[in-house]
Amino acid sequence: MQDNLQNLFADRLAEQSGQTHFASDEHQTAKIIQKIIAERRVATIAKTSLSDELNLELSSIFPVLGVEEIAASADDFVLQVSKADAGITTATFAIAETGTLVEIVNDDRERLISSLPPIHIALVRARDIVPSLDDAAPRLNQVYLSGISNSVVTFISGPSRTADIELRLVLGVHGPHEVHAIVLHSDRSD
Amino acid sequence: MVLTKCMPSFSTQTEVTRMTSHRYRILSQKISNAILAKGRAAALYSAMARGREARSKAFARLEGAETFRDDIRTIKQDSIERLEELLGTFSENARQRGAKVYLASNAEDANHYIVELAKARNVRLVSKSKSLTSEEIELNKFLEAEGIKVVETDLGERIIQLAKEKPFHLVLPAIHKTRQEVAELLSAELQKPVSDDMESLMKAVRESLREVFLHSDMGISGANIAIAQTGTIVVETNEGNARLVTSIPKIHVVIVGVEKIVGTMREAAKLIVAHPMSATGQRLTNYVSFISGRLPLAGNFEGRELHIVILDNGRLRMRDSASFREALYCIRCGACMNVCPTYGVVGGHVFGYIYPGPIGIPWTAEVHGLDKAAEFAPLCISCGLCKEICPADIDIPMMIARVKQQDIEANGQLLVNEFLSEAESFARVACAMAPASNWLLRRKTMRIIAERLIGIDRRRPLPEFAKETFLQWFRKRESRTTESDSKAVYFVDLYANYNDPQLGKMAVELLEEADVQVAVPPQKSSGMPYVSYGELKKAEKVALYNIQSLYPFATKGFSIVSTEPTASYMLKFIYPKLLGTPESNLVAQHSIEIFEFLSNLKSKGRVHIKSRTSGKVGFHISCHQRALSSGKFTVSLLREIGLDVKVIETGTCCGMAGTFGMKRGPLGFDLSEEVGKPLFELFLNSGVDFIATESSVCKIHLEQGTGLRVEHPLKIVKAAFER
Ligand code: SF4
Ligand code: SF4
């Protein structure tokens, strides 16, 4: 069941030109990130708060690759993210049926990390993949019923796209032209 | 002589004002220009075809597709019903989140609020994501008048902005622009050469707009939905530009039509599926943002404001109007323009004011005024397809008929429309005078006169008139009132009565052979032209006459069949709309396509196929038949008698649209030819021996356009059937 959901999620995200990777643990996740950023010669990266474990893994990888990380508190944070080559974020959950990463944030900084750099890498735990949009509703309700704190929920189903000129599909017109979802704690790791 | 004789029967109660003839001339000119701009039409045509295909694929795979349109309609209907309450709840919840909520009663009010806000905060640069509502009020103009620079960030909108044009299509505003044109526009704007390959274009767009995102001090977005329960604004974009517009600038202004408010997240979840499904066939739009209040940026809250301007601008009045209320159910998916035959030829600059396409007509009339809508309302040829494709099942054609009615009441009717909507009076005289009338109507000189005087295009062949009408024949023949458990009223309509009584006779004979008790009560032709030309009062009169005549039969369990799909369409859908009486509803319930009726007879074993035939036939579904069965009963019966039937369709109308294609010039014959061409080509390349269609007017058009023989399917199956 879990396995099917992961496959369905990957297929549906692929329909919208996004890629899915599977990792059994943080170490493997870091390896996948390493591969993506090495292949694309990523020099600067922005990330939202990740697990301590993963941070640790990444902090040993970035210096080796010569990747510079943008400080979350920088004064000119926006400008810096705008120049970053990749952004890493965590999706609160994902929807298999539509190939959607669901990002829930309380600070626009995190939105920028997934929307400004040309490459977006999003982590989602395998058990946080729900089958359908209907199953998303209760999870969203939790967000809203847990008080009135402001939030932005974004459904991300692939890279930025347009067909506004002659119906030609182009990816990455404003935001990312690549979206990589890494399914964490997956039993079907790459 | 024939003509003069029937002329006096046309009331000229309203003098055609100069306005009407002036508008007619301008619109005709615009149509001619649009027809000449071949490249544009081709681009638009493929965009529409692709949109239709994507939508039908998405529809086919959708779970719960059967109830989907009902669900969407119900959501919108309920929300509009509860509008005041939802507006209150939404405003309160959004305010709780710290947003400023402003209800703007009209365009001026909304513009004033936003411009004053921008001035007070010293805004120099505004980034905007796609918002038709802001175009409705022409917000950019007012901001720019204060020296504030406004930049559209949706690619299509940006192109339109640089070209200083209006959207050509709701979803693809710049679909009429080629790569080369875009390159020129960008080069001029950036003052450096941009080459016309996609990569260079995208690089130029991305770089220049990135600067705008980073440095704008106000972001203005529209909203696809507002959720009352949580005070949330939902914004959908594929490009992701709205994410930047709503996050980087300190001030975020949302401009949203008051009709966009729904109650709950659950309802919003349905709508975010409906939008992309009907627009592009995607399962979801790439980015769907649910914005609930303003957020800090990197921990900093300073100066970050959210203003939500809720726009009325005629919407609350629309809500109170029985005729126009459903326009508020529109979710702006653009599907109706993907199916509209005449929009497909002329595009949104001719077929639109700010809001393009079918829904643009009622919307413009209500929001921008009748005069603006009347400039393009005559482009609607009443095919009804927009209603069939609309995810909210909005009766756009009926609203358009109302707009036309208001227009003729204010400005008068064109003579040709008046003549054609009174076609029955003419037909009566022509039949009485046949064959002399036929001889006359074949004369070139006569046709020239008819063209000059009335506006009937001389290039269009007209059907011949019969000496004895079907109704005359039926009245004369011996009555056969054998009681039967299967009863049908034959509703003959114009063509089978005056032009091809043989068809009516065959229908009656076929039914009687199957032991059906057939009745033909007094009747007038269905009156579709009245609807097409906005003569709704006359349409109501005809409806009333026919319903009074048919109702007693309906109560006695008669089915009502017709050989003309448009007649069944009128009985089933239009009369109940026009009259709204229990009588018209009962008649509608009893109206059934003749081929469905025959299929039932066949499955009950009351008719049999005695002989089979062979041949390749191309079936044409008339537009009004799409609202019925899309011809499925006809096609399967044709197949059962041995024919190799191919349904040949472009997915839109053939262009004849009743009497529209008979009218002289661009707003008639020329446009109808242009709409028909792709379909003619399909038929000609299909290798069929002949064409079958139930519509008498499509028959005229297809015969002329393809040179192929066109038959009514009833005539084909008649010979193959026996008791
Ligand atoms: S009824 Fe047909 S012609 Fe009229 S607006 Fe709708 S689709 Fe277009
Ligand atoms: S009228 Fe219907 S089909 Fe047309 S844009 Fe609105 S919702 Fe879509």
Side-chain angles (χ1 to χ4, degrees):
Chain A
M1 172 65 189
Q2 237 344 297
D3 209 30
N4 283 344
L5 273 188
Q6 292 176 38
N7 288 340
L8 182 62
F9 170 76
D11 288 350
R12 292 292 156 84
L13 182 57
E15 269 182 22
Q16 295 268 103
S17 319
Q19 296 174 48
T20 307
H21 311 262
F22 301 93
S24 54
D25 57 16
E26 273 73 10
H27 179 69
Q28 224 187 350
T29 306
K31 287 285 168 218
I32 293 168
I33 295 175
Q34 177 176 14
K35 189 158 182 279
I36 296 170
I37 62 183
E39 279 172 4
R40 288 158 187 80
R41 305 221 176 99
V42 166
T44 50
I45 216 161
K47 58 182 180 56
T48 59
S49 50
L50 307 172
S51 69
D52 291 345
E53 238 176 315
L54 186 59
N55 274 330
L56 202 68
E57 291 279 351
L58 291 177
S59 62
S60 65
I61 289 172
F62 287 172
V64 182
L65 293 171
V67 170
E68 205 184 305
E69 196 189 320
I70 288 162
S73 56
D75 280 348
D76 57 347
F77 177 80
V78 178
L79 270 182
Q80 288 212 38
V81 189
S82 178
K83 289 191 199 114
D85 302 312
I88 306 178
T89 67
T90 307
T92 310
F93 67 100
I95 306 167
E97 176 193 49
T98 51
T100 302
L101 295 156
V102 181
E103 172 195 277
I104 303 180
V105 305
N106 302 100
D107 189 312
D108 276 337
R109 168 182 53 212
E110 311 185 24
R111 282 215 282 163
L112 295 182
I113 295 174
S114 62
S115 57
L116 280 171
I119 298 163
H120 175 208
I121 301 168
L123 313 174
V124 62
R125 285 182 303 188
R127 65 180 159 93
D128 288 327
I129 302 181
V130 302
S132 71
L133 207 52
D134 284 343
D135 307 296
R139 296 200 62 142
L140 289 177
N141 276 336
Q142 280 172 18
V143 177
Y144 295 112
L145 299 180
S146 66
I148 58 149
S149 76
N150 290 354
S151 64
V152 174
V153 176
T154 308
F155 287 5
I156 302 174
S157 314
S160 155
R161 60 163 61 205
T162 184
D164 276 356
I165 302 179
E166 297 185 351
L167 286 179
R168 290 160 198 257
L169 180 66
V170 191
L171 300 179
V173 56
H174 300 300
H177 64 253
E178 284 183 35
V179 168
H180 298 268
I182 304 179
V183 179
L184 214 78
H185 304 152
S186 167
D187 40 10
R188 52 153 295 187
S189 60
D190 290 355
Chain B
M1 194 180 64
V2 178
L3 298 169
T4 43
K5 191 164 174 185
C6 50
M7 287 295 257
S9 66
F10 307 118
S11 54
T12 36
Q13 83 275 55
T14 40
E15 187 122 348
V16 182
T17 62
R18 245 198 248 139
M19 191 60 169
T20 300
S21 18
H22 175 70
R23 274 205 201 110
Y24 173 78
R25 269 199 307 278
I26 304 231
L27 183 56
S28 297
Q29 190 55 51
K30 285 189 192 163
I31 296 168
S32 301
N33 296 344
I35 291 176
L36 288 175
K38 288 249 183 278
R40 281 186 168 200
L44 180 61
Y45 193 81
S46 54
M48 289 168 61
R50 206 199 271 194
R52 288 196 301 266
E53 269 160 39
R55 176 199 168 269
S56 56
K57 262 196 212 139
F59 211 81
R61 71 177 180 218
L62 185 78
E63 256 177 69
E66 322 73 44
T67 59
F68 177 75
R69 293 197 330 148
D70 268 355
D71 293 350
I72 299 303
R73 189 178 171 87
T74 307
I75 291 173
K76 292 303 291 182
Q77 204 168 349
D78 289 355
S79 311
I80 298 299
E81 186 65 40
R82 295 167 53 208
L83 189 63
E84 280 112 5
E85 171 208 334
L86 293 179
L87 177 61
T89 314
F90 174 82
S91 308
E92 193 185 313
N93 287 329
R95 282 188 187 119
Q96 288 252 340
R97 296 184 178 280
K100 293 248 165 17
V101 180
Y102 184 73
L103 181 66
S105 56
N106 54 31
E108 199 189 337
D109 193 8
N111 286 326
H112 182 77
Y113 180 88
I114 298 169
V115 170
E116 287 308 308
L117 175 69
K119 277 161 60 183
R121 302 291 189 277
N122 233 333
V123 169
R124 307 305 327 148
L125 178 63
V126 172
S127 56
K128 259 184 90 198
S129 73
K130 193 170 178 175
S131 157
L132 219 57
T133 312
S134 78
E135 291 189 49
E136 170 185 324
I137 60 173
E138 301 184 85
L139 172 62
N140 292 8
K141 204 167 79 183
F142 294 93
L143 288 166
E144 280 159 2
E146 295 295 332
I148 299 165
K149 187 166 165 136
V150 185
V151 179
E152 297 288 347
T153 63
D154 170 86
L155 178 56
E157 288 292 320
R158 179 67 181 144
I159 296 168
I160 291 298
Q161 186 184 31
L162 292 176
K164 300 188 172 60
E165 288 178 11
K166 287 174 180 168
F168 204 68
H169 187 282
L170 208 68
V171 178
L172 297 159
I175 188 63
H176 59 300
K177 292 277 181 228
T178 61
R179 256 177 311 137
Q180 292 75 16
E181 287 171 296
V182 175
E184 276 169 33
L185 289 167
L186 285 172
S187 305
E189 170 68 15
L190 304 174
Q191 302 190 332
K192 62 173 190 201
V194 177
S195 67
D196 63 16
D197 58 288
M198 287 306 275
E199 213 169 299
S200 313
L201 291 175
M202 287 302 146
K203 189 164 175 285
V205 167
R206 188 182 166 101
E207 284 174 5
S208 61
L209 289 181
R210 185 52 71 91
E211 288 304 305
V212 174
F213 289 127
L214 294 178
H215 299 112
S216 50
D217 17 39
M218 178 185 273
I220 300 180
S221 76
N224 297 81
I225 310 164
I227 307 173
Q229 190 189 31
T230 53
T232 301
I233 284 291
V234 185
V235 188
E236 301 171 48
T237 64
N238 274 319
E239 294 179 7
N241 55 320
R243 302 191 70 201
L244 300 172
V245 165
T246 62
S247 58
I248 302 175
K250 282 201 164 160
I251 307 160
H252 175 199
V253 177
V254 179
I255 167 138
V256 56
V258 68
E259 82 283 10
K260 297 278 175 65
I261 307 175
V262 300
T264 61
M265 176 60 78
R266 204 165 278 283
E267 294 165 314
K270 281 264 182 203
L271 294 181
I272 62 168
V273 173
H275 292 147
M277 198 202 74
S278 312
T280 58
Q282 288 166 285
R283 290 177 205 271
L284 281 180
T285 309
N286 244 12
Y287 299 106
V288 185
S289 302
F290 299 81
I291 301 172
S292 310
R294 198 83 234 253
L295 303 187
L297 179 57
N300 191 353
F301 237 126
E302 199 195 307
R304 292 181 68 79
E305 302 173 43
L306 173 63
H307 296 257
I308 302 173
V309 178
I310 304 175
L311 183 69
D312 171 2
N313 208 27
R315 289 163 172 79
L316 295 177
R317 194 191 56 234
M318 267 156 109
R319 180 171 174 260
D320 292 333
S321 142
S323 311
F324 290 99
R325 180 178 224 189
E326 7 183 334
L328 298 172
Y329 305 166
C330 175
I331 61 169
R332 307 261 184 273
C333 70
C336 56
M337 48 215 77
N338 285 344
V339 81
C340 177
T342 47
Y343 166 84
V345 172
V346 300
H349 291 167
V350 181
F351 202 133
Y353 174 59
I354 286 172
Y355 289 95
I359 189 66
I361 297 175
W363 198 267
T364 303
E366 285 296 299
V367 166
H368 299 290
L370 178 63
D371 281 349
K372 291 273 182 291
E375 284 173 15
F376 63 103
L379 285 166
C380 168
I381 57 177
S382 310
C383 71
L385 295 177
C386 49
K387 173 177 189 294
E388 300 310 311
I389 204 171
C390 174
D393 197 16
I394 300 174
D395 197 344
I396 313 167
M398 191 47 93
M399 288 192 286
I400 296 175
R402 300 257 177 236
V403 171
K404 289 174 175 172
Q405 180 185 27
Q406 290 172 1
D407 181 37
I408 59 173
E409 275 168 8
N411 300 311
Q413 177 69 286
L414 286 171
L415 176 67
V416 64
N417 293 353
E418 200 165 334
F419 177 85
L420 287 171
S421 52
E422 301 292 355
E424 183 153 22
S425 329
F426 175 76
R428 210 175 295 127
V429 180
C431 282
M433 300 186 58
S437 50
N438 291 323
W439 179 82
L440 255 176
L441 284 171
R442 277 196 302 268
R443 313 290 303 167
K444 232 191 181 149
T445 38
M446 195 61 204
R447 292 299 304 263
I448 294 174
I449 295 171
E451 183 174 286
R452 296 243 172 95
L453 278 184
I454 308 169
I456 308 289
D457 203 294
R458 72 180 88 160
R459 292 166 291 179
R460 180 67 74 195
L462 298 177
E464 302 232 316
F465 291 92
K467 183 77 205 148
E468 183 185 55
T469 67
F470 168 82
L471 290 173
Q472 285 166 346
W473 169 80
F474 193 86
R475 250 175 264 132
K476 267 207 284 199
R477 77 177 199 154
E478 287 161 41
S479 70
R480 285 163 224 201
T481 40
T482 29
E483 279 284 324
S484 164
D485 58 336
S486 180
K487 309 180 180 66
V489 165
Y490 177 58
F491 187 80
V492 61
D493 210 18
L494 193 75
Y495 175 78
N497 188 35
Y498 296 100
N499 304 100
D500 191 4
Q502 195 56 29
L503 175 60
K505 289 177 201 169
M506 280 186 176
V508 170
E509 281 163 17
L510 190 53
L511 293 170
E512 285 178 347
E513 269 167 37
D515 252 343
V516 177
Q517 182 185 340
V518 181
V520 181
Q523 48 187 277
K524 291 186 173 162
S525 61
S526 67
M528 185 65 207
Y530 286 140
V531 178
S532 304
Y533 298 124
E535 303 273 10
L536 292 184
K537 293 230 170 79
K538 294 181 187 168
E540 276 162 32
K541 246 171 102 181
V542 157
L544 200 63
Y545 179 92
N546 284 332
I547 292 295
Q548 273 169 358
S549 184
L550 297 172
Y551 176 69
F553 289 89
T555 57
K556 283 183 226 137
F558 277 74
S559 296
I560 300 156
V561 299
S562 178
T563 37
E564 191 72 52
T566 296
S568 300
Y569 177 79
M570 290 293 281
L571 293 171
K572 227 176 164 49
F573 304 113
I574 308 296
Y575 287 0
K577 266 265 155 76
L578 289 171
L579 304 176
T581 56
E583 288 80 8
S584 58
N585 289 338
L586 191 80
V587 169
Q589 272 170 33
H590 283 253
S591 296
I592 169 173
E593 279 181 277
I594 194 160
F595 272 89
E596 183 174 357
F597 192 79
L598 286 175
S599 298
N600 293 343
L601 288 177
K602 200 176 146 280
S603 47
K604 285 188 208 136
R606 298 179 79 135
V607 280
H608 301 280
I609 294 167
K610 72 169 177 219
S611 60
R612 288 168 63 87
T613 169
S614 64
K616 275 195 192 163
V617 53
F619 185 75
H620 169 70
I621 309 168
S622 89
C623 291
H624 294 155
Q625 192 168 31
R626 287 188 192 269
L628 300 157
S629 70
S630 285
K632 78 171 183 223
F633 299 103
T634 318
V635 169
S636 74
L637 272 182
L638 289 173
R639 285 190 179 135
E640 280 177 54
I641 64 164
L643 288 167
D644 174 6
V645 188
K646 263 198 222 165
V647 176
I648 293 176
E649 53 186 337
T650 54
T652 176
C653 176
C654 75
M656 185 68 178
T659 55
F660 177 81
M662 297 177 184
K663 299 199 281 177
R664 171 187 55 198
L667 189 61
F669 187 87
D670 296 348
L671 189 49
S672 110
E673 282 304 291
E674 221 42 47
V675 172
K677 275 180 194 162
L679 182 64
F680 301 157
E681 244 164 68
L682 285 185
F683 272 109
L684 288 171
N685 296 330
S686 66
V688 299
D689 307 323
F690 67 103
I691 299 174
T693 188
E694 284 159 78
S695 160
S696 59
V697 279
C698 299
K699 171 181 155 75
I700 300 176
H701 198 39
L702 291 171
E703 251 163 10
Q704 188 178 11
T706 66
L708 290 167
R709 178 163 64 90
V710 183
E711 287 284 8
H712 194 292
L714 195 103
K715 291 188 174 176
I716 305 170
V717 302
K718 172 78 168 60
F721 273 21
E722 69 171 6
R723 215 159 132 176

